[in-house]
Amino acid sequence: MSQVKVEFHQADLSKRKLLKAASLGGAALAVAPGIKLFQAAHAKPDGQPVTDKNRWGLLIDVNRCADGCNDCVDACQTENGWGSGSTDEQNSRDDQKAQWIRKVSVKDPQTRREFNMPVMCQHCENPPCQDVCPTGASFQREDGISMVDRHICIGCRYCMMACPYKARSFVHEALSDQRAHQPRGKGCVESCTLCAHRVDKGKIPACVESCQHGAMLFGDLNDPQSPISTKLASIPSRQLREDLKLNTGVRYTGI
Amino acid sequence: MNIRLRKLLARFLLFSVLSGLGLMSMNLVYAGASEVLSGSRAASLDSCVIPDTDDMRRNHMELLFHKRDQTMRQGIRTYGDNEVSLNGCIACHAAKDDQGQYIPVNEEGQFCQTCHVRVAAKLDCFDCHRTTPETN
Ligand code: SF4
Ligand code: SF4
């Protein structure tokens, strides 16, 4: 296969249009059939803090992500208690409601190739959300997971504006139907936590577990032996908006 | 002694006596009534995860702050029957209604709300945290 230098060529698009319009001049590569993108996380010892020994990440194979399938989004809603996973947010407009993960459809206008992929918080190593947060509520765990500390979030929504991936949501109304492990509430911003509550128990994120097409692989980017690292070392992969040099923890192959 | 100083002293004394009385009556209430509700799991146990109930009454917020930062920032989660966390508190202290459904801990007369109303401290926790044990 010829080596193709791929570059995003729509850096001038506004970030909101970007994800819809991304036409990526890249070679589409399929992961060899029969390779299941799946890895169990390593449980950290109980009672120990997370460390920067790990950096958790995802590899999403766009060629496997099935048209019309919404399993990862559904699983996230159930797991984290938003959208269909909750009876709350009845008074919010659809565009106000929380959206931690979404299926994004992409069409390359030049080749007319169409594909779709799940997009969530990309767990940037250099997160713009954290740069702009005036309170320190946007933070990163040692293991690279980006989160919002709702106890000190003032709801200014700077992070929502700063995030190039539209990954964050603001809760507009009082809630009462939260999951016990996932507090959520009015006046705070929230986003994908990479299922930190599951990862801390040695489980993989709910979206990855739910994907029947093997399109998502979760694992430790810092461990060169981990399935995700060996996969990343052997096939081409991309960051969304890699021009921003955020070093995202979520990577895509096939775009 | 000048008259203004005397007045000031008198006011201070009055204030001390009154606030002393207030604190005493609060302690009396604390000592007299039990916030542990019949029907909650806590009612069937000898003591809290912190055996010194007075200590728990005065300092539970410090413990919760400490635990929240550990859980959220460091990913230290505790599980099991004696879960030491806000979820653990709720699992143990939530009472059930006649239909056997859990009553939110921040409702009138329930475990958290009873004292918080008395001391006029707003219960912010439940703007975000679930108020009943999760059954499913
Ligand atoms: S994707 Fe957005 S919310 Fe997630 S770390 Fe990056 S800037 Fe922050
Ligand atoms: S909305 Fe909250 S997390 Fe986002 S920038 Fe403002 S204070 Fe920080």
Side-chain angles (χ1 to χ4, degrees), chain A residues 44 47-50 136 139 141 149 151 178-180 183-185 197 200-201, chain B residues 68-69 71-77 79 87 126-131 134 136:
Chain A
K44 81 177 163 52
Q48 294 298 307
V50 296
F139 75 101
R141 304 202 318 178
D149 179 349
H151 305 101
Q178 301 92 337
R179 297 297 309 267
R184 309 175 56 222
H197 61 283
D200 290 338
K201 288 200 278 184
Chain B
R68 108 184 172 189
D69 290 342
T71 304
M72 193 184 48
R73 304 231 166 209
Q74 301 185 309
I76 299 175
R77 292 165 201 272
Y79 300 96
N87 278 336
F126 302 110
D127 286 356
C128 289
H129 285 274
R130 188 183 169 88
T131 54
E134 211 163 32
N136 50 346

Side-chain angles (χ1 to χ4, degrees), chain A:
Chain A
M1 194 159 302
S2 64
Q3 292 239 322
V4 184
K5 185 162 187 300
V6 277
E7 236 147 45
F8 283 76
H9 49 255
Q10 70 284 53
D12 53 337
L13 285 182
S14 84
K15 69 184 181 202
R16 280 176 192 251
K17 282 194 202 140
L18 169 86
L19 290 175
K20 278 188 188 146
S23 76
L24 308 166
L29 297 181
V31 175
I35 296 178
K36 188 146 171 34
L37 294 179
F38 183 87
Q39 179 206 4
H42 298 288
K44 81 177 163 52
D46 231 10
Q48 294 298 307
V50 296
T51 67
D52 58 8
K53 276 203 200 79
N54 310 106
R55 181 171 181 222
W56 301 115
L58 290 175
L59 175 59
I60 296 168
D61 183 352
V62 164
N63 289 317
R64 285 174 170 243
C65 180
D67 206 16
C69 174
N70 213 37
D71 288 351
C72 54
V73 180
D74 292 340
C76 180
Q77 292 179 334
T78 307
E79 180 68 26
N80 294 302
W82 58 277
S84 64
S86 153
T87 54
D88 286 325
E89 287 189 277
Q90 295 303 322
N91 301 307
S92 300
R93 294 194 314 262
D94 277 352
D95 62 341
Q96 293 176 319
K97 287 181 181 168
Q99 185 95 58
W100 291 24
I101 175 174
R102 52 167 67 83
K103 281 287 291 283
V104 173
S105 300
V106 184
K107 183 172 184 183
D108 183 335
Q110 270 125 38
T111 63
R112 289 179 292 283
R113 175 180 175 234
E114 286 181 53
F115 59 91
N116 50 85
M117 58 188 180
V119 178
M120 69 298 281
C121 170
Q122 304 287 295
H123 299 282
C124 314
E125 188 189 11
N126 311 306
C129 57
Q130 199 177 318
D131 287 346
V132 298
C133 179
T135 67
S138 285
F139 75 101
Q140 227 175 359
R141 304 202 318 178
E142 291 276 302
D143 58 1
I145 297 182
S146 273
M147 283 202 220
V148 177
D149 179 349
R150 288 176 176 79
H151 305 101
I152 54 176
C153 171
I154 55 172
C156 67
R157 290 164 260 185
Y158 286 5
C159 56
M160 285 177 74
M161 300 305 289
C163 173
Y165 307 102
K166 209 181 167 189
R168 291 209 157 165
S169 310
F170 178 77
V171 177
H172 287 75
E173 56 179 297
L175 310 180
S176 62
D177 189 20
Q178 301 92 337
R179 297 297 309 267
H181 56 259
Q182 189 53 266
R184 309 175 56 222
K186 180 181 174 181
C188 287
V189 160
E190 56 185 21
S191 55
C192 156
T193 64
L194 214 55
C195 278
H197 61 283
R198 291 170 61 102
V199 174
D200 290 338
K201 288 200 278 184
K203 299 207 287 188
I204 59 171
C207 54
V208 181
E209 194 176 85
S210 76
C211 180
Q212 297 177 17
H213 300 90
M216 295 170 104
L217 174 64
F218 170 83
D220 185 1
L221 302 174
N222 278 355
D223 173 7
Q225 308 305 323
S226 70
I228 189 171
S229 294
T230 51
K231 182 64 62 188
L232 282 166
S234 62
I235 59 164
S237 65
R238 305 276 303 272
Q239 307 173 51
L240 299 181
R241 286 300 301 268
E242 52 206 8
D243 55 317
L244 296 174
K245 299 189 168 48
L246 303 177
N247 188 9
T248 56
V250 180
R251 306 272 169 150
Y252 292 81
T253 182
I255 58 175

